[in-house]
Amino acid sequence: MRTTVGIIGAGPAGLLLARLLHNAGIDSVVLESRDRAYVERRQRAGILEQGTVDVLREAGAAERMDHEGLRHDGIELRFDRRRHRVDFPALTGGRSVMVYAQTEVCKDLIALQLKSGGPLLFETEALAVEGADTDRPRVRFRQRGEGGEGGAEGVLECDYVVGCDGFWGVARSAVPDGRTFERTYPFSWLGILADVAPSHDELVYARHDRGFALLSMRSPSVSRLYLQVPADTDADSWSDEQIWDELERRFETDDDWTLRRGPITQKSVTPMRSYVHEPMRHGRLFLAGDAAHIVPPTGAKGLNLAVGDVVTFARALAHRTATGSDDLLDAYSATCLRRVWQAERFSYDMTTLLHTAPDATPFEDRLQLARLDRIASSRAAETDLAEAYTGFPIG
Ligand code: APR
Ligand code: PHB
């Protein structure tokens, strides 16, 4: 098998890249180790920055998002039983975000890819990237056989390989002499999906002495909620009633706001990690999305960073095709990393602003409240948050 761009992984990064390349007249093959149902059901964040929305529209992948996505013009910060709304358009010259789940972005991109006949091979696992520093990099892969076992091995010969294979993928290991920067956190998120209308029309980020809580949503009738829990928590150790009781406590305010309860349909624990691998390129192998960097979910930046990476790669390759110049491809890693580090900084700030660390001193607790009070009372501090939340420019 031979193609111009071999793409490993059909998460948001790999799927959008295939679409962008298709639109630019560049052929690609996507290899995905899991099956289609798995990719379409995996629950992740659901906040699209303004720039991500623009990219999906330009790519012709926004039809359903424009019907079903929920435009949000702000978020609420809750602390000390107080409520403070951050008004995005007023602070950023009209920017907003879109609530549209990552599962739906993936479903839309998969449907488009299959419709345009672009090769998207599920149950096909990349085993290794070879020859990244030659003109003909290759991806060795294995296709799952009938019944899930065995299967045929093959080689995909490419001009370029893009590793969009997430944090646990194989592509990163083919970038030698890389440097990694990492931080883990002593807590996780217990996330639930519930069949109940969201209790607020915008997201609520709550800081409480008992721990952080987040109210989000998937649709006007499905709520997504999170609780900060200790890092090694088993989701099943929390009963549904305990979860609702704890959410109620952490969202408590001095006014008459109430939390609506409903049947919980899914429960899972998400670990928190900050991670960056530098550089994001070796020869003709490029890393994009979670394969190169992870952010804790507090800033909702994971998917948006992946989009920035693949847009940067697609532009650079189209530039090379049009002009013969490698300049933009050579700048890929530095261009992406500048934006990545801004998102790392913001995600870290949001995480430490809102979570209670198990070893936090009373002094640090007070500082946290002072930081929140500053955001609620200074337009400059609030603007900084609003600009970062609605997104940094791509490229
Ligand atoms: N071969 C083929 N596919 C692989 C391999 C492999 N060896 N290893 C992993 N994959 C696939 C995974 O099954 C997964 O579908 O690569 C895909 C990676 O997808 P994501 O983990 O979603 O990563 P990415 O596309 O970078 O997503 C970026 O989107 O939803 C957000 O928060 C999420 O931060 C994440 C962001
Ligand atoms: C979500 O809806 O899953 C979500 C929203 C905002 C975040 C993280 C997750 O910061």
Side-chain angles (χ1 to χ4, degrees):
M1 250 207 299
R2 166 135 203 90
T3 188
T4 305
V5 183
I7 300 174
I8 310 175
L15 290 167
L16 178 62
L17 178 57
R19 187 75 208 150
L20 296 172
L21 294 175
H22 172 82
N23 292 349
I26 299 169
D27 66 299
S28 68
V29 172
V30 185
L31 309 176
E32 165 59 51
S33 58
R34 313 298 292 250
D35 62 17
R36 180 174 176 178
Y38 176 88
V39 173
E40 292 187 342
R41 281 188 205 138
R42 188 173 33 197
Q43 279 298 326
R44 309 291 260 298
I47 304 296
L48 311 183
E49 292 173 357
Q50 179 80 57
T52 296
V53 168
D54 296 343
V55 166
L56 290 171
R57 285 190 182 136
E58 269 166 44
E63 200 179 317
R64 202 161 63 91
M65 178 194 78
D66 279 328
H67 278 105
E68 297 174 22
L70 309 168
R71 179 192 149 123
H72 279 207
D73 284 342
I75 54 168
E76 184 177 300
L77 297 176
R78 213 170 266 199
F79 58 102
D80 231 4
R81 304 176 67 86
R82 287 169 61 188
R83 310 170 60 174
H84 175 78
R85 176 166 190 261
V86 180
D87 181 334
F88 295 149
L91 295 161
T92 63
R95 296 165 75 81
S96 60
V97 296
M98 179 82 85
V99 174
Y100 189 62
Q102 177 243 315
T103 47
E104 307 314 297
V105 175
C106 287
K107 278 183 207 163
D108 296 346
L109 289 167
I110 288 171
L112 282 170
Q113 179 75 1
L114 295 176
K115 201 167 129 195
S116 63
L120 166 51
L121 308 177
F122 289 104
E123 300 189 72
T124 303
E125 183 187 1
L127 302 174
V129 180
E130 294 166 350
D133 46 7
T134 70
D135 287 350
R136 280 291 174 89
R138 300 171 299 281
V139 183
R140 259 195 316 111
F141 64 86
R142 181 168 50 223
Q143 246 165 340
R144 197 150 307 152
E146 290 293 315
E149 285 309 306
E153 287 202 16
V155 174
L156 177 62
E157 295 195 0
C158 315
D159 292 339
Y160 300 91
V161 174
V162 185
C164 300
D165 49 350
F167 188 64
W168 304 106
V170 296
R172 198 170 58 240
S173 64
V175 179
D177 305 325
R179 239 188 118 180
T180 58
F181 302 84
E182 184 164 19
R183 188 194 153 104
T184 53
Y185 300 84
F187 38 76
S188 297
W189 281 11
L190 170 64
I192 60 160
L193 271 180
D195 282 338
V196 60
S199 302
H200 192 57
D201 52 6
E202 291 180 339
L203 271 63
V204 181
Y205 288 80
R207 186 253 171 228
H208 193 280
D209 288 341
R210 299 177 63 89
F212 169 73
L214 172 62
L215 182 154
S216 180
M217 60 203 71
R218 289 290 173 266
S219 73
S221 57
V222 176
S223 295
R224 175 82 170 151
L225 295 128
Y226 297 96
L227 280 175
Q228 175 190 343
V229 292
D232 49 2
T233 299
D234 170 11
D236 291 326
S237 67
W238 283 74
S239 73
D240 293 7
E241 202 187 340
Q242 278 174 321
I243 293 174
W244 287 117
D245 288 348
E246 189 63 26
L247 285 165
E248 204 161 78
R249 277 196 207 112
R250 296 192 194 178
F251 284 123
E252 226 163 36
T253 57
D254 279 333
D255 59 19
D256 58 358
W257 188 88
T258 54
L259 178 68
R260 282 189 206 112
R261 299 185 178 210
I264 294 178
T265 56
Q266 231 190 74
K267 236 187 259 182
S268 60
V269 171
T270 314
M272 312 275 282
R273 175 187 273 121
S274 298
Y275 178 94
V276 180
H277 182 282
E278 296 185 2
M280 288 172 57
R281 173 202 182 180
H282 175 62
R284 286 180 170 239
L285 168 64
F286 295 75
L287 302 178
D290 278 16
H293 41 73
I294 299 282
V295 284
T298 327
K301 289 286 171 235
L303 187 149
N304 298 292
L305 276 185
V307 167
D309 293 349
V310 298
V311 166
T312 304
F313 177 79
R315 277 186 195 153
L317 187 56
H319 177 72
R320 146 118 199 178
T321 309
T323 66
S325 161
D326 275 329
D327 288 359
L328 295 187
L329 286 170
D330 289 342
Y332 172 81
S333 182
T335 304
C336 292
L337 283 168
R338 185 161 176 230
R339 187 166 180 270
V340 165
W341 276 110
Q342 283 306 317
E344 291 287 348
R345 174 192 68 79
F346 174 65
S347 306
Y348 173 85
D349 283 353
M350 284 287 276
T351 303
T352 54
L353 175 70
L354 294 162
H355 292 72
T356 46
D359 57 353
T361 61
F363 177 77
E364 287 160 330
D365 288 343
R366 281 288 187 278
L367 282 188
Q368 224 176 15
L369 289 169
R371 284 163 71 195
L372 282 157
D373 187 31
R374 173 85 185 145
I375 292 166
S377 55
S378 151
R379 192 175 166 95
E382 199 185 15
T383 302
D384 186 45
L385 190 160
E387 281 182 359
Y389 198 95
T390 54
F392 301 106
I394 297 171

